[in-house]
Amino acid sequence: MNDAVSSPPSPASAAASPRRITQAVSIGEIKVGGGHPVVVQSMTNTDTADIASSVRQVAELWRAGSELVRLTVNNPESAAAIPRIREKLDMMGVPVPLIGDFHYNGHQLLAGEPACAQALAKYRINPGNVGFGKKRDTQFAQLIEFAIQYGKPVRIGANWGSLDQSLAAQLMDENAKRADPWDAGHVLREALIRSALDSAERAVEIGLPRDRIVLSAKVSGVQELIAVYRDLAQRSDFALHLGLTEAGIGSKGIVASSAALAVLLQEGIGDTIRISLTPEPGQSRTQEVIVAQELLQTTGQRAFTPMVTACPGCGRTTSEFFQELAKVVQEHVRGRMPEWKISHPGAENMTLAVMGCVVNGPGESRHANIGISLPGTGEAPAAPVFVDGEKSVTLRGENIAQEFVALIDNYVETRYARSAG
Ligand code: SF4
């Protein structure tokens, strides 16, 4: 029998691999892992002790869609600020769970400020920064005991930039004795993974349930991150927090984070994500939340806000109008989404198209729920609008943007209205 011609290859699937099933961790009201949707989180860059600024930024991140927000807790002032930040957020109707980020002195801060230990919904512990020498194990145990006492989950977050040096040295020594030694990069990746896994097992021995542990092992290189998380996912069932650490500023940070996280999410790896962008001067911190949402939405993991398909434009586009229209439409639907989420559930799945000419305009517009094909060079000054694949109206004149936006609002009103009762 000739196997080569016996059966055609299966068509490639257009969906991501099934999610890896991990422990389900409750962080306040938010569930991470266990097959729950991938959770978006972010981190403030205010001085936590500056209560007004921190409250403002946490609320802003939450309104942008961050489901968990982490704050640095690095000194007694910031630890004392946490319960007051929680109180003010509750008064404002901002229920987002707060995560405390501890390094070096977390055991002292939690001991000194019980209200902080109580107000936080999760503690982040970096096993490479928990203490030095003999104190490391004791201080790690103290942090875990606080988590047990207050009923909180922890993220054991190892980081390439603060790798446990004694573990790295031990693995280097072991590697030197191998018949076929690994390269240095492999040994360092193993040290990072072991730091996270061994610390998690130690926390379990101390008494923290497995479903109160989230793991991360962050590096700043795309290929290294993919390799580390594939390994981590194979070697444990802990919920995983994904993020490319120190991703960078501007498009570089966005591209590098998306490249790394998209591969892992496609393989079903990852339960919560953070995009560690360095904001451009004057830029809102919320950009990292929008990028995280767009990454999850464009890869088909979750829907947050209607997405606009727009062509890049070329010599056939007559003006910048279509670029402006694409921007106006995306900003309009993003701005309306918090209200639609409640009044018109499902609107986040709506697809829109803003196209620059007849070449791909009508075709792409027909694929969207609502699409508009603007006139290119030499075309009649008319913009046909397509609704659910059918040509609906043709817009002309000065008010195309307002009329198209009104058509979108009307579509949401009729298609996604919450049914009575
Ligand atoms: S749809 Fe038309 S304007 Fe847009 S990129 Fe294609 S050819 Fe150019």
Side-chain angles (χ1 to χ4, degrees):
M1 182 178 163
N2 184 348
D3 284 343
V5 294
S6 62
S7 57
S10 319
S13 166
S17 299
R19 296 273 309 288
R20 166 182 164 269
I21 295 301
T22 57
Q23 298 284 334
V25 182
S26 295
I27 304 170
E29 297 296 310
I30 302 294
K31 302 268 188 266
V32 168
H36 290 284
V38 179
V39 167
V40 171
Q41 61 175 287
S42 61
M43 185 169 183
T44 57
N45 63 355
T46 55
D47 174 0
T48 305
D50 178 347
I51 294 170
S53 300
S54 299
V55 166
R56 200 176 313 118
Q57 194 175 68
V58 171
E60 194 187 0
L61 290 165
W62 176 73
R63 286 194 191 101
S66 187
E67 295 160 303
L68 300 169
V69 177
R70 180 160 48 114
L71 302 98
T72 291
V73 186
N74 57 340
N75 53 34
E77 294 75 26
S78 60
I82 291 287
R84 296 181 60 197
I85 293 170
R86 177 73 276 160
E87 199 178 281
K88 286 185 185 298
L89 289 168
D90 289 342
M91 283 165 59
M92 292 162 65
V94 177
V96 65
L98 302 179
I99 302 166
D101 198 65
F102 294 100
H103 299 268
Y104 312 113
N105 58 357
H107 59 296
Q108 292 166 338
L109 297 174
L110 289 172
E113 202 64 59
C116 168
Q118 184 56 47
L120 291 169
K122 186 174 79 166
Y123 310 152
R124 183 273 169 114
I125 304 171
N126 179 339
N129 279 350
V130 87
F132 301 103
K134 288 180 187 155
K135 289 185 177 169
R136 191 187 54 207
D137 289 349
T138 323
Q139 291 174 187
F140 179 80
Q142 286 172 332
L143 283 163
I144 297 301
E145 278 157 9
F146 280 120
I148 295 168
Q149 179 186 342
Y150 288 95
K152 308 292 180 180
V154 300
R155 169 160 67 100
I156 294 178
N159 192 299
W160 196 247
S162 45
L163 190 55
D164 179 341
Q165 292 303 320
S166 57
L167 178 60
Q170 179 200 323
L171 293 187
M172 284 289 185
D173 288 347
E174 287 174 18
N175 189 52
K177 293 179 192 140
R178 281 176 207 277
D180 188 10
W182 296 343
D183 63 45
H186 190 164
V187 178
L188 289 176
R189 286 199 301 276
E190 178 64 15
L192 189 71
I193 293 165
R194 283 272 301 275
S195 174
L197 288 177
D198 293 356
S199 301
E201 293 304 339
R202 172 111 176 84
V204 172
E205 278 168 25
I206 295 168
L208 192 67
R210 299 182 81 81
D211 65 358
R212 275 208 252 139
I213 297 174
V214 178
L215 285 193
S216 67
K218 294 190 181 180
V219 300
S220 55
V222 171
Q223 296 296 352
E224 287 79 11
L225 191 88
I226 293 168
V228 162
Y229 272 88
R230 278 179 177 157
D231 215 348
L232 204 51
Q234 273 194 346
R235 288 162 66 174
S236 84
D237 70 345
F238 291 112
L240 294 181
H241 166 126
L242 295 190
L244 187 76
T245 192
E246 290 104 31
I249 194 162
S251 59
K252 185 266 171 181
I254 295 172
V255 170
S257 293
S258 304
L261 269 54
V263 170
L264 293 165
L265 291 166
Q266 186 70 11
E267 295 176 8
I269 298 171
D271 302 293
T272 176
I273 65 170
R274 184 204 170 198
I275 306 290
S276 300
L277 289 184
T278 307
E280 308 255 10
Q283 186 182 45
S284 168
R285 187 72 167 174
T286 56
Q287 200 203 9
E288 66 173 62
V289 178
I290 292 167
V291 172
Q293 288 188 331
E294 289 180 345
L295 174 59
L296 292 177
Q297 185 149 358
T298 54
T299 53
Q301 307 274 340
R302 287 182 69 181
F304 298 93
T305 201
M307 289 271 119
V308 178
T309 299
C311 75
C314 68
R316 287 177 176 270
T317 40
T318 50
S319 71
E320 290 186 351
F321 177 71
F322 101 98
Q323 294 163 251
E324 287 159 14
L325 182 61
K327 187 162 184 274
V328 164
V329 168
Q330 186 67 76
E331 286 175 358
H332 176 76
V333 293
R334 191 179 293 288
R336 298 281 325 252
M337 201 54 228
E339 172 199 334
W340 286 343
K341 205 169 157 184
I342 298 160
S343 61
H344 297 81
E348 65 275 14
N349 295 304
M350 177 173 63
T351 55
L352 303 163
V354 176
M355 299 293 292
C357 89
V358 73
V359 172
N360 289 328
E364 196 67 65
S365 297
R366 279 195 176 92
H367 290 309
N369 291 120
I370 310 184
I372 185 166
S373 180
L374 293 165
T377 312
E379 294 178 47
V385 173
F386 297 82
V387 177
D388 288 334
E390 301 294 330
K391 189 170 161 192
S392 164
V393 291
T394 299
L395 303 181
R396 291 184 176 80
E398 299 297 308
N399 298 322
I400 287 181
Q402 295 91 316
E403 289 171 20
F404 186 57
V405 163
L407 287 170
I408 293 168
D409 287 349
N410 185 51
Y411 184 89
V412 171
E413 198 54 53
T414 50
R415 166 89 189 263
Y416 300 107
R418 188 185 279 284
S419 50

